[in-house]
Coordinates of all heavy atoms in Angstrom, one line a residue:
M210 N 21.6 -14.9 -15.1 CA 20.9 -13.7 -15.0 C 19.4 -13.9 -14.6 O 18.8 -13.1 -14.0 CB 21.1 -12.9 -16.2 CG 20.9 -11.4 -16.0 SD 22.2 -10.9 -14.9 CE 22.0 -9.3 -14.8
R211 N 19.0 -15.1 -15.1 CA 17.5 -15.3 -15.0 C 17.2 -15.6 -13.5 O 16.1 -15.1 -13.1 CB 17.3 -16.6 -15.7 CG 15.8 -16.9 -15.7 CD 15.4 -18.0 -16.7 NE 14.8 -17.3 -17.7 CZ 13.8 -17.8 -18.5 NH1 13.5 -19.0 -18.4 NH2 13.2 -17.0 -19.4
G212 N 18.1 -16.1 -12.7 CA 17.9 -16.3 -11.3 C 17.8 -14.9 -10.6 O 16.9 -14.8 -9.7
H213 N 18.5 -14.0 -11.0 CA 18.3 -12.7 -10.4 C 17.0 -12.0 -10.7 O 16.4 -11.5 -9.7 CB 19.5 -11.7 -10.9 CG 19.4 -10.4 -10.4 ND1 19.7 -10.0 -9.0 CD2 19.0 -9.3 -11.0 CE1 19.5 -8.7 -8.8 NE2 19.1 -8.2 -10.1
H214 N 16.6 -12.2 -11.8 CA 15.2 -11.8 -12.2 C 14.1 -12.4 -11.3 O 13.2 -11.7 -10.9 CB 15.0 -12.0 -13.7 CG 13.6 -11.5 -14.0 ND1 13.2 -10.2 -14.3 CD2 12.4 -12.2 -14.4 CE1 11.9 -10.1 -14.6 NE2 11.5 -11.3 -14.7
A215 N 14.3 -13.6 -11.0 CA 13.2 -14.3 -10.2 C 13.3 -13.8 -8.8 O 12.2 -13.7 -8.0 CB 13.6 -15.9 -10.2
I216 N 14.6 -13.5 -8.3 CA 14.7 -13.0 -6.9 C 14.0 -11.6 -6.9 O 13.3 -11.4 -5.9 CB 16.2 -12.9 -6.5 CG1 16.6 -14.4 -6.3 CG2 16.3 -12.1 -5.3 CD1 18.2 -14.4 -6.1
T217 N 14.3 -10.8 -7.9 CA 13.7 -9.5 -8.0 C 12.2 -9.6 -8.0 O 11.5 -8.8 -7.4 CB 14.3 -8.7 -9.1 OG1 15.7 -8.6 -9.0 CG2 13.8 -7.2 -9.1
T218 N 11.6 -10.5 -8.8 CA 10.3 -10.5 -9.0 C 9.7 -11.1 -7.7 O 8.6 -10.5 -7.2 CB 9.9 -11.5 -10.1 OG1 10.5 -11.1 -11.3 CG2 8.5 -11.8 -10.2
N219 N 10.3 -12.0 -7.1 CA 9.7 -12.4 -5.7 C 9.8 -11.3 -4.7 O 8.8 -11.2 -3.9 CB 10.5 -13.6 -5.3 CG 10.2 -14.9 -6.0 OD1 9.1 -14.9 -6.7 ND2 11.0 -15.8 -6.0
A220 N 10.9 -10.6 -4.6 CA 11.0 -9.5 -3.7 C 9.8 -8.5 -4.0 O 9.2 -7.9 -3.0 CB 12.3 -8.8 -3.8
L221 N 9.6 -8.1 -5.2 CA 8.5 -7.2 -5.6 C 7.1 -7.7 -5.1 O 6.4 -7.0 -4.5 CB 8.4 -6.9 -7.1 CG 9.6 -6.0 -7.6 CD1 9.5 -6.0 -9.1 CD2 9.4 -4.6 -7.0
R222 N 6.9 -8.9 -5.4 CA 5.7 -9.5 -4.9 C 5.5 -9.6 -3.4 O 4.4 -9.3 -2.9 CB 5.5 -11.0 -5.5 CG 5.2 -11.0 -7.0 CD 4.8 -12.4 -7.5 NE 4.5 -12.4 -8.8 CZ 5.1 -13.1 -9.8 NH1 6.1 -13.9 -9.5 NH2 4.8 -13.0 -11.1
D223 N 6.6 -9.8 -2.7 CA 6.6 -9.8 -1.2 C 6.2 -8.4 -0.8 O 5.4 -8.2 0.2 CB 7.9 -10.3 -0.6 CG 8.1 -11.9 -0.8 OD1 7.1 -12.5 -1.2 OD2 9.2 -12.3 -0.7
R224 N 6.8 -7.4 -1.3 CA 6.7 -6.0 -0.9 C 5.2 -5.6 -1.2 O 4.6 -4.9 -0.4 CB 7.7 -5.1 -1.6 CG 7.5 -3.7 -1.2 CD 8.0 -3.7 0.3 NE 7.9 -2.1 0.6 CZ 7.3 -1.7 1.7 NH1 7.1 -2.6 2.6 NH2 7.3 -0.4 2.0
I225 N 4.7 -6.0 -2.3 CA 3.3 -5.7 -2.7 C 2.4 -6.4 -1.6 O 1.4 -5.7 -1.2 CB 3.0 -6.2 -4.1 CG1 3.6 -5.3 -5.1 CG2 1.4 -6.2 -4.3 CD1 3.5 -5.9 -6.5
V226 N 2.5 -7.6 -1.2 CA 1.8 -8.2 -0.1 C 1.8 -7.4 1.1 O 0.8 -7.2 1.7 CB 2.2 -9.7 0.0 CG1 1.6 -10.3 1.3 CG2 1.8 -10.5 -1.2
Q227 N 3.0 -7.0 1.5 CA 3.3 -6.1 2.8 C 2.4 -4.9 2.7 O 1.8 -4.6 3.6 CB 4.7 -6.0 3.0 CG 5.5 -7.0 3.2 CD 7.0 -6.8 3.3 OE1 7.5 -5.7 2.8 NE2 7.8 -7.7 3.9
L228 N 2.5 -4.2 1.4 CA 1.9 -3.0 1.3 C 0.4 -3.1 1.2 O -0.4 -2.3 1.7 CB 2.4 -2.2 0.1 CG 3.7 -1.7 0.1 CD1 4.2 -1.2 -1.2 CD2 3.8 -0.6 1.1
E229 N -0.1 -4.2 0.7 CA -1.5 -4.5 0.7 C -2.0 -4.8 2.1 O -3.2 -4.2 2.4 CB -1.9 -5.7 -0.2 CG -1.6 -5.4 -1.6 CD -1.9 -6.5 -2.6 OE1 -1.7 -7.7 -2.2 OE2 -2.3 -6.3 -3.8
W230 N -1.3 -5.3 2.9 CA -1.7 -5.6 4.2 C -1.7 -4.3 5.1 O -2.7 -4.0 5.7 CB -0.7 -6.5 5.0 CG -1.0 -6.8 6.4 CD1 -1.9 -7.7 7.0 CD2 -0.5 -6.0 7.6 NE1 -1.9 -7.6 8.3 CE2 -1.1 -6.5 8.7 CE3 0.4 -5.1 7.7 CZ2 -0.9 -6.1 10.0 CZ3 0.7 -4.6 8.9 CH2 0.1 -5.1 10.1
E231 N -0.7 -3.4 4.8 CA -0.7 -2.1 5.5 C -1.9 -1.3 5.0 O -2.5 -0.5 5.8 CB 0.7 -1.4 5.2 CG 0.8 -0.1 5.8 CD 2.1 0.8 5.5 OE1 2.9 0.1 4.8 OE2 2.1 1.8 5.9
H232 N -2.1 -1.3 3.7 CA -3.3 -0.6 3.3 C -4.6 -1.1 3.8 O -5.4 -0.2 4.2 CB -3.3 -0.8 1.7 CG -4.4 0.0 1.1 ND1 -5.7 -0.4 0.8 CD2 -4.4 1.4 0.5 CE1 -6.3 0.4 0.1 NE2 -5.6 1.6 0.0
S233 N -4.8 -2.3 4.0 CA -6.0 -2.8 4.7 C -6.1 -2.4 6.1 O -7.1 -2.0 6.6 CB -6.0 -4.4 4.6 OG -6.1 -4.7 3.2
E234 N -5.0 -2.5 6.8 CA -4.8 -2.1 8.2 C -5.2 -0.6 8.3 O -6.0 -0.2 9.3 CB -3.5 -2.4 8.8 CG -3.2 -3.8 9.1 CD -4.3 -4.4 10.0 OE1 -4.4 -3.9 11.2 OE2 -4.9 -5.5 9.7
L235 N -4.7 0.3 7.5 CA -5.0 1.7 7.6 C -6.5 2.0 7.2 O -7.1 2.8 7.9 CB -4.2 2.4 6.5 CG -2.7 2.6 6.9 CD1 -1.8 3.1 5.7 CD2 -2.6 3.6 8.0
D236 N -7.0 1.2 6.3 CA -8.4 1.3 6.0 C -9.3 1.0 7.2 O -10.3 1.7 7.5 CB -8.8 0.3 4.9 CG -10.1 0.7 4.2 OD1 -10.5 1.9 4.0 OD2 -10.8 -0.3 3.7
R237 N -9.0 -0.1 7.9 CA -9.8 -0.6 9.1 C -9.6 0.5 10.1 O -10.5 0.9 10.9 CB -9.3 -1.9 9.6 CG -9.9 -3.0 8.7 CD -9.6 -4.3 9.4 NE -8.3 -4.8 9.3 CZ -7.9 -5.5 8.2 NH1 -8.8 -5.7 7.2 NH2 -6.6 -6.0 8.2
M238 N -8.3 1.1 10.3 CA -8.1 2.1 11.3 C -8.9 3.3 11.1 O -9.5 4.0 11.9 CB -6.6 2.4 11.4 CG -6.2 3.3 12.6 SD -4.4 3.7 12.5 CE -3.6 2.2 12.4
I239 N -8.9 3.8 9.9 CA -9.6 5.0 9.4 C -11.1 4.8 9.6 O -11.7 5.7 10.2 CB -9.2 5.3 7.9 CG1 -7.9 5.9 7.9 CG2 -10.3 6.4 7.4 CD1 -7.3 5.9 6.4
D240 N -11.6 3.6 9.3 CA -13.0 3.4 9.5 C -13.3 3.5 11.0 O -14.4 4.0 11.4 CB -13.5 2.0 8.9 CG -13.7 2.1 7.5 OD1 -13.8 3.1 6.9 OD2 -13.6 0.9 6.8
R241 N -12.5 2.8 11.8 CA -12.8 2.8 13.2 C -12.7 4.1 13.9 O -13.5 4.5 14.6 CB -11.8 1.8 14.0 CG -12.1 1.4 15.4 CD -11.3 0.4 15.9 NE -9.8 0.9 16.0 CZ -8.8 0.4 15.2 NH1 -9.0 -0.6 14.5 NH2 -7.6 0.9 15.4
L242 N -11.7 4.9 13.4 CA -11.4 6.2 14.1 C -12.2 7.3 13.7 O -12.4 8.3 14.2 CB -10.0 6.6 14.0 CG -8.9 5.7 14.7 CD1 -7.6 6.0 14.3 CD2 -9.1 5.7 16.2
S243 N -12.8 7.1 12.5 CA -13.5 8.3 11.9 C -14.9 8.4 12.6 O -15.4 9.6 12.6 CB -13.9 8.0 10.4 OG -14.8 6.8 10.2
D244 N -15.3 7.6 13.4 CA -16.6 7.7 14.1 C -16.2 8.0 15.6 O -17.1 8.2 16.4 CB -17.4 6.4 14.2 CG -18.0 6.0 12.8 OD1 -18.2 7.1 12.0 OD2 -18.2 4.9 12.5
S245 N -15.0 8.1 15.8 CA -14.5 8.4 17.2 C -14.1 9.9 17.4 O -13.6 10.6 16.5 CB -13.3 7.5 17.5 OG -12.7 7.9 18.7
S246 N -14.3 10.4 18.7 CA -13.8 11.8 18.9 C -12.4 11.8 19.5 O -11.9 12.8 19.8 CB -14.7 12.4 19.9 OG -14.8 11.6 21.2
D247 N -11.7 10.5 19.4 CA -10.4 10.5 20.0 C -9.2 10.9 19.0 O -8.2 10.9 19.4 CB -10.1 9.0 20.4 CG -10.9 8.5 21.5 OD1 -11.5 9.4 22.4 OD2 -11.1 7.3 21.7
I248 N -9.8 11.2 17.8 CA -8.7 11.6 16.8 C -9.2 12.9 16.2 O -10.3 13.1 15.9 CB -8.6 10.5 15.7 CG1 -7.4 10.8 14.7 CG2 -9.9 10.3 15.0 CD1 -7.1 9.6 13.9
S249 N -8.2 13.8 15.9 CA -8.5 15.1 15.2 C -8.6 14.9 13.6 O -8.3 13.8 13.1 CB -7.3 16.0 15.6 OG -6.2 15.7 14.8
D250 N -9.3 15.9 13.1 CA -9.4 15.8 11.6 C -8.1 15.8 11.0 O -7.9 15.2 9.9 CB -10.1 17.0 11.2 CG -11.6 17.0 11.5 OD1 -12.1 15.9 11.9 OD2 -12.3 18.1 11.6
L251 N -7.1 16.6 11.5 CA -5.8 16.5 11.0 C -5.1 15.1 11.0 O -4.6 14.7 10.0 CB -4.8 17.5 11.8 CG -3.4 17.6 11.3 CD1 -3.4 18.1 9.7 CD2 -2.7 18.5 12.1
E252 N -5.3 14.4 12.1 CA -4.6 13.1 12.2 C -5.4 12.1 11.2 O -4.8 11.4 10.6 CB -4.9 12.6 13.7 CG -3.8 13.3 14.6 CD -4.2 12.9 16.0 OE1 -5.4 13.0 16.4 OE2 -3.2 12.5 16.7
L253 N -6.7 12.3 11.1 CA -7.4 11.4 10.2 C -7.0 11.7 8.8 O -6.8 10.8 7.9 CB -9.0 11.7 10.4 CG -9.9 10.7 9.8 CD1 -9.6 9.2 10.4 CD2 -11.3 11.1 10.2
R254 N -6.8 12.9 8.4 CA -6.4 13.3 7.1 C -4.9 12.8 6.8 O -4.7 12.2 5.7 CB -6.4 14.8 6.9 CG -7.8 15.4 6.5 CD -7.7 16.8 6.0 NE -6.9 17.7 6.8 CZ -7.3 18.5 7.8 NH1 -8.6 18.5 8.1 NH2 -6.4 19.4 8.4
R255 N -4.1 12.7 7.8 CA -2.8 12.2 7.6 C -2.9 10.7 7.4 O -2.1 10.1 6.5 CB -1.9 12.5 8.8 CG -1.5 13.9 8.9 CD -0.6 14.2 10.1 NE -0.2 15.6 10.0 CZ 0.2 16.3 11.2 NH1 0.3 15.7 12.4 NH2 0.6 17.5 11.1
L256 N -3.8 10.0 8.1 CA -3.9 8.6 7.9 C -4.4 8.3 6.4 O -3.9 7.3 5.8 CB -4.8 7.9 8.9 CG -4.3 7.7 10.3 CD1 -5.4 7.4 11.3 CD2 -3.2 6.8 10.2
K257 N -5.3 9.0 5.9 CA -5.9 8.9 4.6 C -4.9 9.2 3.6 O -4.8 8.4 2.5 CB -7.1 9.9 4.5 CG -8.4 9.4 5.2 CD -9.5 10.3 5.0 CE -10.7 9.9 5.8 NZ -11.9 10.8 5.6
K258 N -4.0 10.2 3.8 CA -3.0 10.5 2.8 C -2.0 9.4 2.8 O -1.5 9.0 1.8 CB -2.3 11.8 3.3 CG -1.3 12.4 2.3 CD -0.9 13.7 2.8 CE -0.3 14.4 1.6 NZ -0.1 15.9 1.8
R259 N -1.6 8.8 4.0 CA -0.7 7.8 4.1 C -1.2 6.4 3.3 O -0.6 5.8 2.6 CB -0.4 7.3 5.5 CG 0.6 6.2 5.7 CD 0.9 6.1 7.2 NE 1.5 4.8 7.4 CZ 1.4 4.2 8.7 NH1 1.0 4.9 9.7 NH2 1.9 3.0 8.8
K260 N -2.5 6.2 3.5 CA -3.2 5.2 2.8 C -3.1 5.3 1.3 O -2.8 4.3 0.6 CB -4.7 5.1 3.3 CG -5.5 3.9 2.6 CD -6.9 4.0 3.1 CE -7.7 3.3 2.1 NZ -9.2 3.6 2.3
L261 N -3.3 6.5 0.8 CA -3.2 6.9 -0.6 C -1.7 6.7 -1.0 O -1.5 6.1 -2.2 CB -3.6 8.3 -1.0 CG -5.1 8.5 -0.8 CD1 -5.4 10.0 -1.0 CD2 -5.8 7.6 -1.9
K262 N -0.8 7.0 -0.4 CA 0.7 6.8 -0.7 C 0.9 5.3 -0.8 O 1.7 4.9 -1.7 CB 1.5 7.4 0.3 CG 1.7 8.9 0.2 CD 2.7 9.5 1.2 CE 3.7 10.3 0.4 NZ 4.7 10.8 1.4
V263 N 0.4 4.5 0.2 CA 0.7 3.1 0.2 C 0.1 2.5 -1.2 O 0.7 1.8 -1.8 CB 0.2 2.4 1.4 CG1 0.0 0.9 1.2 CG2 0.9 2.8 2.6
K264 N -1.2 3.0 -1.5 CA -1.9 2.4 -2.7 C -1.0 2.8 -4.0 O -0.8 2.0 -4.9 CB -3.2 3.0 -2.8 CG -4.1 2.5 -4.0 CD -4.4 1.1 -3.7 CE -5.3 0.6 -4.8 NZ -5.6 -0.8 -4.6
D265 N -0.5 4.1 -4.0 CA 0.4 4.5 -5.1 C 1.6 3.7 -5.2 O 2.0 3.2 -6.3 CB 0.8 6.0 -5.0 CG -0.3 6.9 -5.2 OD1 -1.4 6.5 -5.7 OD2 -0.2 8.1 -4.9
N266 N 2.2 3.3 -4.1 CA 3.4 2.5 -4.0 C 3.1 1.0 -4.6 O 3.9 0.5 -5.4 CB 4.0 2.3 -2.6 CG 4.8 3.6 -2.3 OD1 5.3 4.4 -3.1 ND2 4.9 3.9 -1.0
I267 N 1.9 0.5 -4.2 CA 1.5 -0.8 -4.7 C 1.4 -0.7 -6.2 O 1.9 -1.6 -7.0 CB 0.1 -1.2 -4.1 CG1 0.2 -1.5 -2.6 CG2 -0.6 -2.4 -4.9 CD1 -1.1 -1.6 -1.9
M268 N 0.8 0.3 -6.7 CA 0.5 0.5 -8.2 C 1.9 0.6 -8.9 O 2.1 -0.1 -10.0 CB -0.2 1.6 -8.6 CG -1.8 1.5 -8.1 SD -2.6 0.1 -8.9 CE -2.5 0.6 -10.5
L269 N 2.9 1.3 -8.4 CA 4.1 1.4 -9.0 C 4.8 0.0 -9.0 O 5.5 -0.3 -10.0 CB 5.0 2.4 -8.3 CG 4.5 3.9 -8.4 CD1 5.4 4.8 -7.4 CD2 4.8 4.3 -9.8
L270 N 4.7 -0.7 -7.9 CA 5.5 -1.9 -7.9 C 4.8 -2.9 -8.9 O 5.4 -3.8 -9.6 CB 5.4 -2.5 -6.5 CG 6.3 -1.8 -5.5 CD1 6.1 -2.4 -4.1 CD2 7.7 -1.8 -5.9
Q271 N 3.4 -2.9 -9.0 CA 2.8 -3.8 -9.8 C 3.1 -3.5 -11.3 O 3.3 -4.3 -12.2 CB 1.3 -3.5 -9.7 CG 0.8 -4.3 -8.4 CD -0.8 -4.1 -8.2 OE1 -1.3 -3.1 -8.5 NE2 -1.3 -5.0 -7.4
L272 N 3.4 -2.2 -11.7 CA 3.8 -1.8 -13.0 C 5.2 -2.3 -13.3 O 5.5 -2.7 -14.4 CB 3.8 -0.3 -13.1 CG 2.5 0.4 -13.3 CD1 2.6 1.9 -13.2 CD2 1.9 0.1 -14.7
Q273 N 6.1 -2.4 -12.3 CA 7.4 -3.0 -12.5 C 7.3 -4.6 -12.8 O 8.1 -5.1 -13.5 CB 8.2 -2.8 -11.3 CG 8.6 -1.3 -11.1 CD 9.5 -1.1 -9.9 OE1 10.2 -2.0 -9.5 NE2 9.4 0.0 -9.2
L274 N 6.3 -5.1 -12.1 CA 6.1 -6.6 -12.4 C 5.5 -6.9 -13.8 O 6.0 -7.8 -14.5 CB 5.1 -7.1 -11.4 CG 5.8 -7.5 -10.0 CD1 4.7 -8.1 -9.0 CD2 7.0 -8.6 -10.2
E275 N 4.5 -6.1 -14.1 CA 3.8 -6.3 -15.3 C 3.6 -5.0 -16.1 O 2.4 -4.5 -16.0 CB 2.4 -7.0 -15.1 CG 2.7 -8.4 -14.4 CD 1.3 -9.0 -14.1 OE1 0.5 -9.0 -15.0 OE2 1.2 -9.6 -13.1
P276 N 4.6 -4.3 -16.7 CA 4.4 -3.0 -17.2 C 3.3 -2.9 -18.4 O 2.8 -1.9 -18.5 CB 5.8 -2.7 -17.8 CG 6.6 -3.9 -17.9 CD 5.9 -5.0 -16.9
D277 N 3.2 -3.9 -19.1 CA 2.1 -3.8 -20.3 C 0.7 -4.0 -19.8 O -0.2 -3.7 -20.4 CB 2.5 -5.0 -21.4 CG 3.9 -4.7 -22.0 OD1 4.2 -3.5 -22.0 OD2 4.6 -5.6 -22.4
K278 N 0.6 -4.8 -18.7 CA -0.7 -5.0 -18.2 C -1.6 -3.7 -17.8 O -2.7 -3.6 -17.9 CB -0.7 -6.0 -17.1 CG -2.0 -6.4 -16.5 CD -1.8 -7.5 -15.4 CE -3.1 -7.9 -14.8 NZ -3.2 -8.8 -13.7
H279 N -0.8 -2.7 -17.3 CA -1.5 -1.6 -16.8 C -1.4 -0.3 -17.8 O -1.7 0.7 -17.3 CB -0.8 -1.1 -15.4 CG -1.0 -2.2 -14.3 ND1 -2.1 -2.5 -13.7 CD2 0.0 -3.2 -13.9 CE1 -1.9 -3.4 -12.9 NE2 -0.7 -3.9 -12.9
A280 N -0.9 -0.7 -18.9 CA -0.8 0.5 -19.9 C -2.0 0.9 -20.5 O -3.1 0.2 -20.4 CB 0.3 0.1 -21.0

């Protein structure tokens, strides 16, 4: 059973890394596009909302890895 726990932990860490990368990419995109007239306010708000959802997902996964650390 211990091996399964290690696989789950590794999968969670891998997913966190992926989400952190996506969060960084969204942050850069928002910064770049916020000064541009090529994007509407609605599209920009959607990107920001997506970035917040990604951050929330990161926090939820981190809580699964270390539930006592974030309490």
Side-chain angles (χ1 to χ4, degrees):
M210 204 62 176
R211 181 165 258 215
H213 177 69
H214 178 70
I216 292 170
T217 303
T218 300
N219 288 338
L221 285 173
R222 286 189 178 123
D223 289 346
R224 184 66 180 136
I225 290 169
V226 169
Q227 291 170 347
L228 289 170
E229 287 174 336
W230 179 85
E231 182 180 351
H232 186 269
S233 295
E234 288 299 307
L235 285 166
D236 195 39
R237 283 192 280 278
M238 187 185 308
I239 290 166
D240 283 346
R241 188 175 66 246
L242 293 173
S243 63
D244 295 330
S245 171
S246 60
D247 295 340
I248 189 168
S249 71
D250 287 342
L251 178 61
E252 291 171 311
L253 198 56
R254 280 196 309 271
R255 285 180 177 159
L256 285 172
K257 288 179 180 180
K258 192 174 200 173
R259 183 171 156 204
K260 182 181 154 195
L261 287 173
K262 282 182 125 178
V263 169
K264 186 64 172 181
D265 287 345
N266 286 334
I267 291 169
M268 291 302 295
L269 288 172
L270 292 175
Q271 287 174 334
L272 283 171
Q273 289 180 31
L274 279 178
E275 302 178 42
D277 296 332
K278 184 175 180 183
H279 299 282

